[in-house]
mmCIF file of all heavy atoms in Angstrom:
data_model
loop_
_atom_site.group_PDB
_atom_site.id
_atom_site.type_symbol
_atom_site.label_atom_id
_atom_site.label_comp_id
_atom_site.label_asym_id
_atom_site.label_seq_id
_atom_site.Cartn_x
_atom_site.Cartn_y
_atom_site.Cartn_z
ATOM 1 N N GLU B 324 -20.534 257.973 141.453
ATOM 2 C CA GLU B 324 -21.858 257.577 141.942
ATOM 3 C C GLU B 324 -22.090 256.066 141.592
ATOM 4 O O GLU B 324 -21.611 255.540 140.598
ATOM 5 C CB GLU B 324 -22.861 258.424 141.277
ATOM 6 C CG GLU B 324 -22.724 259.952 141.507
ATOM 7 C CD GLU B 324 -21.759 260.577 140.567
ATOM 8 O OE1 GLU B 324 -21.245 259.879 139.694
ATOM 9 O OE2 GLU B 324 -21.366 261.800 140.859
ATOM 10 N N GLU B 325 -22.894 255.510 142.476
ATOM 11 C CA GLU B 325 -23.230 254.077 142.431
ATOM 12 C C GLU B 325 -23.863 253.652 141.081
ATOM 13 O O GLU B 325 -23.577 252.568 140.577
ATOM 14 C CB GLU B 325 -24.209 253.657 143.554
ATOM 15 C CG GLU B 325 -24.611 252.150 143.578
ATOM 16 C CD GLU B 325 -25.212 251.769 144.870
ATOM 17 O OE1 GLU B 325 -25.227 252.513 145.844
ATOM 18 O OE2 GLU B 325 -25.761 250.667 144.915
ATOM 19 N N GLU B 326 -24.634 254.505 140.516
ATOM 20 C CA GLU B 326 -25.365 254.155 139.275
ATOM 21 C C GLU B 326 -24.542 254.338 137.956
ATOM 22 O O GLU B 326 -25.027 254.108 136.820
ATOM 23 C CB GLU B 326 -26.669 254.899 139.219
ATOM 24 C CG GLU B 326 -26.643 256.384 138.907
ATOM 25 C CD GLU B 326 -26.270 257.148 140.191
ATOM 26 O OE1 GLU B 326 -25.980 256.553 141.291
ATOM 27 O OE2 GLU B 326 -26.223 258.417 140.110
ATOM 28 N N LYS B 327 -23.283 254.856 138.147
ATOM 29 C CA LYS B 327 -22.434 255.093 136.968
ATOM 30 C C LYS B 327 -21.906 253.883 136.407
ATOM 31 O O LYS B 327 -21.782 252.841 137.003
ATOM 32 C CB LYS B 327 -21.270 256.029 137.457
ATOM 33 C CG LYS B 327 -21.635 257.476 137.561
ATOM 34 C CD LYS B 327 -21.710 258.254 136.168
ATOM 35 C CE LYS B 327 -22.258 259.639 136.331
ATOM 36 N NZ LYS B 327 -21.267 260.577 136.667
ATOM 37 N N GLY B 328 -21.420 253.983 135.111
ATOM 38 C CA GLY B 328 -20.648 252.949 134.467
ATOM 39 C C GLY B 328 -21.283 252.109 133.430
ATOM 40 O O GLY B 328 -22.381 252.358 132.988
ATOM 41 N N ASN B 329 -20.507 251.036 133.002
ATOM 42 C CA ASN B 329 -21.078 250.163 132.066
ATOM 43 C C ASN B 329 -21.856 248.997 132.766
ATOM 44 O O ASN B 329 -21.987 249.001 134.022
ATOM 45 C CB ASN B 329 -19.932 249.521 131.264
ATOM 46 C CG ASN B 329 -18.878 248.941 132.040
ATOM 47 O OD1 ASN B 329 -19.001 248.716 133.307
ATOM 48 N ND2 ASN B 329 -17.695 248.664 131.484
ATOM 49 N N ALA B 330 -22.418 248.081 132.008
ATOM 50 C CA ALA B 330 -23.287 247.105 132.580
ATOM 51 C C ALA B 330 -22.549 246.326 133.581
ATOM 52 O O ALA B 330 -23.089 245.982 134.684
ATOM 53 C CB ALA B 330 -23.777 246.186 131.378
ATOM 54 N N LEU B 331 -21.263 245.955 133.329
ATOM 55 C CA LEU B 331 -20.499 245.154 134.333
ATOM 56 C C LEU B 331 -20.386 245.882 135.654
ATOM 57 O O LEU B 331 -20.583 245.204 136.712
ATOM 58 C CB LEU B 331 -19.121 244.930 133.723
ATOM 59 C CG LEU B 331 -18.102 244.161 134.626
ATOM 60 C CD1 LEU B 331 -18.550 242.751 134.864
ATOM 61 C CD2 LEU B 331 -16.743 244.082 133.938
ATOM 62 N N CYS B 332 -20.081 247.165 135.636
ATOM 63 C CA CYS B 332 -19.887 247.929 136.876
ATOM 64 C C CYS B 332 -21.233 247.989 137.678
ATOM 65 O O CYS B 332 -21.223 247.913 138.845
ATOM 66 C CB CYS B 332 -19.359 249.281 136.617
ATOM 67 S SG CYS B 332 -17.620 249.280 136.103
ATOM 68 N N LYS B 333 -22.266 248.301 136.878
ATOM 69 C CA LYS B 333 -23.547 248.452 137.500
ATOM 70 C C LYS B 333 -23.973 247.208 138.262
ATOM 71 O O LYS B 333 -24.637 247.243 139.316
ATOM 72 C CB LYS B 333 -24.615 248.940 136.497
ATOM 73 C CG LYS B 333 -24.449 250.346 136.089
ATOM 74 C CD LYS B 333 -25.522 250.694 134.993
ATOM 75 C CE LYS B 333 -25.255 252.125 134.440
ATOM 76 N NZ LYS B 333 -26.046 252.387 133.242
ATOM 77 N N GLU B 334 -23.686 246.031 137.662
ATOM 78 C CA GLU B 334 -24.080 244.850 138.271
ATOM 79 C C GLU B 334 -23.086 244.417 139.393
ATOM 80 O O GLU B 334 -23.541 243.735 140.422
ATOM 81 C CB GLU B 334 -24.022 243.676 137.250
ATOM 82 C CG GLU B 334 -25.207 243.702 136.268
ATOM 83 C CD GLU B 334 -25.144 242.616 135.253
ATOM 84 O OE1 GLU B 334 -24.984 241.401 135.657
ATOM 85 O OE2 GLU B 334 -25.195 242.917 134.069
ATOM 86 N N THR B 335 -21.856 244.908 139.263
ATOM 87 C CA THR B 335 -20.810 244.418 140.259
ATOM 88 C C THR B 335 -20.943 245.232 141.523
ATOM 89 O O THR B 335 -20.753 244.736 142.675
ATOM 90 C CB THR B 335 -19.373 244.538 139.742
ATOM 91 O OG1 THR B 335 -19.353 243.840 138.512
ATOM 92 C CG2 THR B 335 -18.337 244.041 140.684
#
Side-chain angles (χ1 to χ4, degrees):
Chain B
E324 302 82 7
E325 181 164 351
E326 69 281 3
K327 280 281 171 82
N329 54 13
L331 177 65
C332 288
K333 285 178 187 170
E334 283 177 55
T335 304

